[in-house]
């Protein structure tokens, strides 16, 4: 299917009107930045075209009363906590200020910073990070590698599976990821485990959802209110050390195989920008119905998101010879077996208190086809089937110098295409 898409309503920021740009006026995602090489404090900005609208500078021009103070103060968590009404109201103002023909164009131009002059930071303080396992295709494909006779565990269709990850090791796109060192199973049953650099370093192609308004400890979030507690989404690469994971994961799940680094894209695309790309949440008729506490009509009608996800790899050799990153797989967030709303409601269902800025990963978002696999583990069938790259090199898992780029965008015939930008990370040699 060829997606043509609607034409943008247009902005006086000319670059925002280019075809297939990630940040047209219909997007307006939030991020944090400082001018490259400066010592200025971290600022909150809104991406528009290839520029950033600096919220602090904006407030100096339009007046402090017109911009939420949390945004002026560089505190995106504070803005997240204000909830959907404040977010929608400010989005309407932004759209007016930035629209083509706006009388504000000349006076607002000084509040723009070229993205090429900005160093992006983590968009907010991520107090807690939880990663889920919402692609049934990923769960089945990985399960097959470990349990050919029973790939999908019996709880999968009932309970959103997740684990608590680590917030402190989350970095923003551009992160240099040091190859982890860890304990792995010995080659023979009679030998002790080995301790050394990971040999099966992998990526996981995911989407991260940010919590907007939190909930008090002991007060679950009903499904009917789940969407109001979601702020927006980013791209997430949940780097994974498969050899360490295979040895340590039973009985308590992932630990050091995952918490050495996770990389996110710098821009958080809000729920409002994603509205045109919502799709029904559907399960095969033969699958069990979800339990009532994670069921709602709204979720069934539009709980899913039609978002294309892409995984590119560029080796050091490719970079040196000017070869571009190579597309290795392409998937879609609409394959999620559990929606963000279900994940959020389930997470808080025991009374666990979510807080503004908490990050919830979708889990590796693989699709039903082998070309839609969201990890090298799946693409190479557990490392048994190497991928041959355009450079002539082969890969099963990542080598030092490899740069991974994840991209995501939403496109449909009835809406203006929007993108999430890029999530880039480069592997550097182990330090031990
Ligand atoms: Ca994951």
């Amino acid at each position: 299917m060829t997606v043509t898409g609607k034409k943008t309503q247009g902005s006086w920021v000319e670059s925002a009107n280019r075809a297939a740009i990630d940040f047209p006026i219909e997007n307006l995602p939030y991020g944090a930045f400082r001018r490259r090489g400066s010592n200025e404090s971290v600022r909150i900005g809104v991406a528009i075209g290839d520029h950033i609208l600096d919220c602090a500078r904006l407030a100096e021009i339009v007046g402090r009363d017109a911009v939420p103070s949390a945004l002026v103060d560089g505190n995106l968590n504070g803005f997240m906590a204000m909830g959907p009404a404040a977010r929608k109201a400010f989005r309407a103002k932004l759209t007016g200020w930035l629209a083509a023909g706006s009388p504000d164009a000349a006076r607002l131009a000084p509040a723009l910073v070229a993205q090429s002059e900005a160093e992006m930071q983590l968009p907010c303080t991520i107090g807690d990070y939880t990663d889920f396992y919402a692609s049934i295709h990923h769960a089945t494909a990985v399960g097959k590698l470990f349990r050919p006779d029973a790939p999908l565990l019996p709880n999968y269709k009932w309970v959103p599976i997740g684990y608590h990850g680590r917030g402190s090791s989350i970095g923003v796109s551009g992160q240099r990821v040091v190859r982890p060192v860890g304990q792995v199973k010995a080659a023979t049953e009679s030998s002790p485990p080995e301790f050394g650099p990971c040999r099966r370093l992998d990526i996981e192609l995911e989407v991260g959802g940010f919590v907007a308004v939190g909930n008090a400890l002991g007060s679950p979030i009903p499904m009917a209110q789940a969407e109001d507690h979601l702020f927006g989404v980013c791209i997430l690469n949940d780097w994974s050390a498969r050899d360490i994971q295979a040895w340590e994961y039973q009985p308590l799940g992932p630990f050091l195989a995952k918490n050495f680094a996770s990389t996110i894209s710098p821009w958080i695309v809000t729920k409002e920008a994603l509205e045109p790309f919502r799709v029904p949440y559907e399960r095969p008729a033969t699958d069990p119905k979800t339990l009532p506490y994670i069921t709602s009509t709204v979720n069934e009608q539009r709980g899913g998101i039609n978002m294309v996800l892409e995984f590119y790899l560029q080796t050091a050799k490719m970079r040196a010879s000017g070869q571009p990153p190579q597309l290795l797989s392409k998937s879609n967030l609409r394959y999620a077996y559990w929606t963000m709303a279900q994940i959020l409601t389930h997470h808080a269902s025991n009374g666990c208190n979510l807080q503004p800025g908490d990050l919830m990963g979708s889990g590796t978002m693989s699709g039903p086809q082998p070309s839609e696999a969201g990890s090298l583990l799946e693409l190479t069938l557990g490392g048994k089937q190497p991928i041959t790259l355009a450079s002539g090199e082969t890969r099963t898992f990542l080598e030092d110098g490899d740069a991974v780029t994840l991209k995501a965008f939403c496109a449909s015939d009835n809406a203006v295409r929007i993108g999430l930008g890029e999530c880039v990370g480069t592997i550097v040699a182990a330090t031990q």
Side-chain angles (χ1 to χ4, degrees):
M1 185 185 77
T2 305
V3 175
T4 51
K6 268 173 64 178
K7 194 173 180 312
T8 177
Q9 76 166 77
S11 170
W12 53 265
V13 182
E14 284 297 328
S15 58
N17 305 328
R18 286 184 208 142
I21 191 141
D22 280 346
F23 309 121
I25 193 170
E26 287 79 8
N27 194 344
L28 303 178
Y30 291 90
F33 73 102
R34 63 161 61 100
R35 284 168 182 76
R36 193 175 299 283
S38 78
N39 293 322
E40 66 185 8
S41 58
V42 172
R43 313 169 84 81
I44 303 301
V46 176
I48 177 76
D50 57 14
H51 280 72
I52 302 169
L53 184 67
D54 178 342
C55 289
R57 187 80 183 90
L58 173 70
E60 291 172 11
I61 298 168
V62 299
R64 279 206 62 136
D65 291 349
V67 181
S69 58
L71 295 178
V72 180
D73 297 339
N75 171 18
L76 191 58
N77 297 73
F79 181 61
M80 291 166 149
M82 292 169 72
R87 196 174 65 236
K88 286 175 189 169
F90 190 60
R91 178 178 174 85
K93 283 187 192 174
L94 286 170
T95 302
W97 286 323
L98 292 169
S102 163
D104 301 300
R107 67 178 185 137
L108 292 184
L112 293 179
V113 177
Q115 285 175 25
S116 59
E117 293 173 13
E119 289 174 345
M120 299 307 295
Q121 316 285 316
L122 282 173
C124 61
T125 301
I126 301 171
D128 272 301
Y129 159 48
T130 311
D131 197 20
F132 285 84
Y133 202 49
S135 164
I136 195 169
H137 307 296
H138 173 70
T140 305
V142 172
K144 264 184 199 159
L145 297 173
F146 294 100
R147 300 174 300 275
D149 298 335
L152 202 64
L153 292 169
N155 58 0
Y156 188 85
K157 293 180 179 178
W158 294 101
V159 58
I161 302 294
Y163 69 96
H164 282 109
R166 187 160 186 90
S168 66
S169 54
I170 298 174
V172 75
S173 182
Q175 189 172 18
R176 289 165 67 79
V177 175
V178 177
R179 178 178 298 275
V181 171
Q183 193 180 132
V184 300
K185 190 179 179 183
T188 62
E189 293 293 334
S190 56
S191 315
E194 295 170 13
F195 184 80
C198 167
R199 292 178 194 150
R200 290 163 68 92
L201 186 54
D202 199 356
I203 72 122
E204 291 194 339
L205 175 59
E206 305 195 15
V207 172
F210 284 93
V211 174
V213 188
N215 60 304
L217 186 63
S219 300
I221 299 171
M223 266 305 276
Q225 294 167 21
E227 293 279 348
D228 286 347
H229 288 262
L230 289 166
F231 181 82
V233 301
C234 69
I235 311 166
L236 166 65
N237 185 348
D238 177 30
W239 305 97
S240 298
R242 301 299 182 196
D243 42 1
I244 298 171
Q245 184 179 0
W247 177 234
E248 76 170 7
Y249 87 104
Q250 289 178 316
L252 287 185
F255 176 38
L256 300 178
K258 299 279 192 174
N259 70 2
F260 58 92
S262 314
T263 308
I264 62 172
S265 56
W267 296 106
I268 306 178
V269 172
T270 63
K271 262 176 55 61
E272 287 69 41
L274 296 169
E275 280 303 307
F277 308 100
R278 302 301 291 253
V279 291
Y281 165 68
E282 291 164 333
R283 285 184 153 202
T286 49
D287 282 9
K289 296 264 183 266
T290 51
L291 293 181
Y293 80 100
I294 39 176
T295 302
S296 80
T297 307
V298 169
N299 192 60
E300 283 170 9
Q301 289 172 344
R302 50 200 305 285
I305 300 172
N306 177 16
M307 179 186 291
V308 176
L309 310 171
E310 296 177 331
F311 163 26
Y312 294 82
L313 179 67
Q314 186 188 45
T315 66
K317 182 180 169 188
M318 290 164 77
R319 206 156 45 246
S321 62
Q323 280 183 294
Q326 182 173 339
L327 181 66
L328 294 190
S329 72
K330 192 168 189 166
S331 186
N332 196 301
L333 183 57
R334 69 185 304 167
Y335 294 135
Y337 196 76
W338 300 102
T339 66
M340 277 286 166
Q342 288 173 315
I343 281 171
L344 180 134
T345 286
H346 178 69
H347 200 320
S349 63
N350 65 344
C352 174
N353 52 334
L354 306 180
Q355 301 186 75
D358 281 359
L359 181 65
M360 299 179 300
S362 63
T364 309
M365 200 41 61
S366 303
Q369 303 303 321
S371 62
E372 296 172 308
S375 67
L376 287 167
L377 182 72
E378 292 157 88
L379 283 170
T380 67
L381 301 179
K384 294 192 188 74
Q385 193 172 290
I387 297 166
T388 301
L389 301 170
S391 58
E393 297 167 282
T394 60
R395 282 292 179 278
T396 48
F397 294 97
L398 297 172
E399 297 190 8
D400 295 345
D402 286 356
V404 172
T405 299
L406 306 183
K407 296 186 189 182
F409 62 91
C410 297
S412 86
D413 287 335
N414 304 316
V416 179
R417 177 197 183 281
I418 62 169
L420 280 80
E422 291 185 346
C423 175
V424 184
T426 305
I427 306 302
V428 298
T431 50
Q432 299 176 40

